[in-house]
């Protein structure tokens, strides 16, 4: 089974007209950079700053509110020096170059290490910028390459001679929420030119719940019947059911998966091959819509995408969506309007909420993935427009059934969220009584 799927993945690569590579933290970890790790390497990179500020990861180091600019730029310079200044293309980059060959390609990554560009790839969209790119707070279009500046800061830091005059202008900052407009324009042009071509998406080390790149990529695949999707992630895979017939998943190391894709021969990696997609009948679709109306205050269906049913949900202060559960996973995305809060109650008794919107300073996300069986209810967060609109993709092969929770048991299981549960279940008259 695995060998057959590996051969098919090799065939898909060979037949592709264009390749879109998407990459996140899992790929960076393969190269030795783990933004979340609290280990000896963290101390090796950041030195005395770890104990001084009780830093537990590189990610925390970049988000920490330092009392002075000197220590912030010390931190940034040490990280950039260790991971990027003397970077040499890894074996994974060389394998990737072999896979892409001479085809048109683009790389879409949330990694901030700048490694793809340093490895010689020209067509790169760094959606969260990189730690060599400084942005001018007075001009959002102006950016400056800080590579040599950070290197000099590092050298003076090590020599004990670093002072304020060695730092960048006070208006220059490392802003990982800032987009490079040229990269965006080039990426859009690539996607526009991929229409009516055999596009292959090769996803590298993107976790199942990472929605910054993964969710819109799967929607792209769903909208293009000629496209194919290969995902590599060590551990849990997430492939939307609506694109399962054009997807292959490698649950193993990137190095082994690359070797298998290049050679077409299995090395023992666990592989999930394509699966048939079952479409709902007209009567099933009608029943699905009938049930959806009970749970969502205002919604519309857009059936323009191949193999999926995108649903747009609009809510306001007086009309939150009611608590409901589904048998399949869902990717919820912010669309327009104010932010919205999605309350989630998991099958194993855990509660959490996610705010969907565009303001990262308030920890709002553009999208996230809900695991099967999770109960979801959504409310509008007050804002200037007076409403929130979200979108979610409904797999065509689902049976349209929505699960209504038993409120008495739910409140016993989640006593701290009793008020939320009652607010998001006002229509369950029989349960309330």
């Amino acid at each position: 089974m695995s060998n057959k799927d590996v051969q098919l993945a090799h065939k898909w690569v060979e037949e592709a007209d264009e390749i879109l590579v998407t990459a996140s933290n899992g790929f960076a970890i393969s190269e030795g950079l783990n933004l979340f790790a609290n280990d000896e390497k963290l101390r090796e990179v950041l030195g005395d700053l770890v104990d001084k500020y009780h830093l537990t990861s590189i990610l925390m180091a970049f988000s920490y509110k330092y009392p002075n600019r000197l220590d912030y730029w010390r931190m940034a310079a040490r990280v950039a020096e260790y991971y990027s200044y003397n970077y040499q293309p890894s074996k994974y980059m060389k394998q990737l170059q072999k896979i892409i060959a001479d085809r048109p390609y683009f790389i879409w990554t949330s990694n901030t290490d700048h490694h793809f560009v340093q490895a010689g790839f020209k067509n790169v969209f760094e959606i969260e910028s990189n730690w060599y790119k400084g942005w001018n707070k007075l001009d959002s279009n102006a950016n400056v390459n800080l590579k040599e500046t950070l290197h000099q800061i590092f050298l003076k830091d090590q020599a004990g001679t670093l002072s304020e005059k060695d730092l960048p202008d006070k208006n220059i900052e490392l802003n990982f929420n800032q987009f490079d407009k040229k990269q965006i324009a080039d990426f859009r042009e690539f996607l526009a030119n991929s229409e009516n071509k055999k596009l292959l998406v090769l996803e590298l080390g993107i976790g199942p719940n990472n929605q910054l790149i993964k969710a819109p990529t799967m929607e792209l695949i769903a909208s293009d019947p000629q496209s194919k999707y290969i995902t590599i992630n060590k551990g849990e895979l997430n492939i939307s059911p609506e694109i399962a017939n054009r997807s292959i998943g490698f649950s193993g190391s990137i190095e082994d998966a690359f070797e298998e894709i290049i050679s077409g021969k299995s090395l023992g990696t666990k592989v999930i091959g394509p699966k048939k997609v079952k479409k709902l009948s007209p009567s099933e679709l009608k029943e699905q819509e009938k049930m959806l109306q009970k749970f969502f205050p205002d919604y519309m269906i857009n059936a323009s995408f191949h193999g999926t049913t995108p649903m747009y949900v609009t809510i306001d202060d007086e009309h939150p969506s009611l608590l409901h559960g589904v048998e399949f996973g869902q990717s919820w995305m912010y669309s327009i309007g104010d932010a919205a809060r999605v309350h989630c109650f998991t099958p194993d008794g855990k509660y959490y909420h996610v705010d969907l919107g565009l303001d990262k300073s308030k920890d709002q996300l553009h999208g996230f993935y809900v695991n099967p069986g999770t109960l979801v209810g959504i409310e509008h967060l007050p804002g200037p427009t007076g409403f929130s609109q979200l979108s979610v993709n409904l797999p065509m092969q689902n049976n349209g059934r929505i699960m209504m929770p038993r409120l008495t048991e739910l409140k016993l299981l989640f006593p701290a969220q009793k008020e939320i549960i009652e607010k998001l279940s006002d229509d369950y008259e029989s349960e309330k009584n």
Side-chain angles (χ1 to χ4, degrees):
M1 177 76 74
S2 290
N3 198 57
K4 177 183 175 184
D5 294 329
V6 168
Q7 290 174 355
L8 183 59
H10 175 79
K11 183 172 182 287
W12 284 0
V13 170
E14 292 296 305
E15 292 178 347
D17 294 327
E18 298 185 341
I19 294 180
L20 170 61
V21 177
T22 60
S24 190
N25 188 54
F27 187 82
I29 290 174
S30 295
E31 290 201 299
L33 168 58
N34 190 334
L35 295 177
F36 305 96
N38 184 3
D39 53 18
E40 284 304 311
K41 183 178 283 189
L42 182 68
R43 291 183 176 276
E44 183 181 351
V45 175
L46 296 180
D48 61 315
L49 296 176
V50 171
D51 290 331
K52 186 175 181 179
Y53 296 110
H54 306 290
L55 303 176
T56 59
S57 68
I58 290 175
L59 192 65
M60 178 185 176
F62 273 101
S63 60
Y64 189 84
K65 304 298 182 184
Y66 295 88
N68 61 73
R69 295 181 73 234
L70 275 172
D71 279 350
Y72 174 80
W73 286 103
R74 277 193 181 100
M75 175 279 302
R78 291 176 186 182
V79 172
E81 185 77 18
Y82 187 93
Y83 286 108
S84 298
Y85 191 76
N86 295 306
Y87 174 79
Q88 295 296 318
S90 66
K91 58 186 174 184
Y92 310 103
M93 292 293 187
K94 294 173 183 177
Q95 288 174 307
L96 182 58
Q97 288 169 339
K98 187 178 291 187
I99 290 172
I100 292 174
D102 57 355
R103 277 177 288 260
Y105 73 92
F106 221 97
I107 294 172
W108 182 15
T109 181
S110 59
N111 294 342
T112 57
D113 50 41
H114 205 45
H115 285 179
F116 285 105
V117 174
Q118 290 182 292
F121 292 100
K122 303 297 183 185
N123 306 320
V124 181
F125 174 30
E126 296 167 315
I127 194 171
E128 294 196 294
S129 191
N130 68 72
W131 51 49
Y132 275 154
K133 190 169 289 183
W135 298 90
N136 191 325
K137 290 187 288 187
L138 302 180
D139 183 356
S140 61
N141 293 318
N143 63 78
V144 58
N145 189 327
L146 293 176
K147 180 178 180 179
E148 288 304 321
T149 300
L150 289 172
H151 179 57
Q152 290 303 316
I153 290 175
F154 174 80
L155 294 178
K156 292 179 180 180
D157 176 28
Q158 296 302 299
T161 61
L162 184 67
S163 65
E164 285 276 350
K165 66 180 178 60
D166 300 311
L167 304 183
D169 182 278
K170 288 186 178 181
N171 291 317
I172 300 297
E173 62 180 359
L174 295 175
N175 186 347
F176 299 121
N177 296 328
Q178 189 75 39
F179 295 157
D180 185 309
K181 293 185 178 180
K182 184 180 186 309
Q183 287 186 353
I184 293 176
D186 291 345
F187 183 45
R188 285 175 175 166
E189 183 178 358
F190 171 80
L191 292 178
N193 290 337
S194 70
E195 190 174 356
N196 299 321
K197 295 178 182 177
K198 295 178 181 177
L199 175 68
L200 172 74
V201 171
L202 181 60
E203 182 183 89
L204 310 177
I206 300 184
N209 299 318
N210 181 324
Q211 296 302 295
L212 184 63
I213 295 177
K214 189 175 185 70
T217 298
M218 290 196 289
E219 289 182 11
L220 171 67
I221 297 296
S223 67
D224 180 4
Q226 289 195 94
S227 62
K228 300 289 193 301
Y229 178 65
I230 297 176
T231 176
I232 305 170
N233 191 55
K234 195 169 186 178
E236 188 178 357
L237 296 172
N238 170 22
I239 298 174
S240 293
E242 61 266 31
I243 64 171
N245 61 331
R246 292 178 283 120
S247 301
I248 297 175
F250 288 79
S251 180
S253 71
I254 289 175
E255 181 180 11
D256 287 346
F258 274 179
E259 287 294 339
E260 292 179 325
I261 291 171
I262 292 169
S263 67
K265 298 178 182 178
S266 174
L267 299 176
T269 302
K270 181 181 177 182
V271 183
I272 297 175
K275 298 179 181 178
K276 290 184 178 180
V277 175
K278 178 183 176 294
K279 292 187 178 182
L280 291 180
S281 66
S283 60
E284 287 174 322
L285 283 171
K286 188 174 292 186
E287 183 64 24
Q288 180 189 66
E289 182 168 349
K290 184 178 177 182
M291 278 190 277
L292 287 173
Q293 289 174 342
K294 298 178 183 178
F295 293 90
F296 297 109
D298 184 17
Y299 76 96
M300 62 179 178
I301 297 289
N302 181 352
S304 64
F305 293 114
H306 175 78
T308 185
T309 305
M311 182 175 76
Y312 295 86
V313 181
T314 303
I315 60 174
D316 55 40
D317 288 340
E318 296 181 2
H319 304 95
S321 81
L322 301 182
L323 278 170
H324 68 286
V326 292
E327 293 181 297
F328 45 86
Q330 294 180 327
S331 293
W332 282 93
M333 305 290 292
Y334 169 81
S335 181
I336 59 173
D338 303 323
R341 176 160 294 171
V342 185
H343 299 275
C344 302
F345 299 81
T346 69
D348 58 356
K350 295 178 181 178
Y351 164 81
Y352 66 95
H353 70 259
V354 174
D355 290 349
L356 291 179
L358 298 178
D359 192 343
K360 289 188 178 182
S361 69
K362 297 180 180 179
D363 295 325
Q364 294 174 5
L365 301 178
H366 184 63
F368 77 113
Y369 181 77
V370 179
N371 288 318
T374 299
L375 297 174
V376 172
I378 311 166
E379 60 178 336
H380 163 251
L381 294 179
T385 62
F387 71 91
S388 307
Q389 187 181 88
L390 310 178
S391 66
V392 61
N393 271 3
L394 303 175
M396 293 293 289
Q397 77 275 20
N398 84 88
N399 60 14
R401 183 169 64 185
I402 291 178
M403 296 176 286
M404 186 173 71
R406 294 184 181 276
L407 300 181
T408 302
E409 286 82 350
L410 192 62
K411 284 185 278 189
L412 287 174
L413 188 60
F414 299 95
Q417 285 75 44
K418 180 181 177 181
E419 185 178 340
I420 295 172
I421 293 169
E422 291 179 346
K423 180 179 181 180
L424 298 177
S425 54
D426 284 345
D427 286 357
Y428 298 176
E429 295 297 335
S430 60
E431 283 285 340
K432 287 174 68 178
N433 297 331

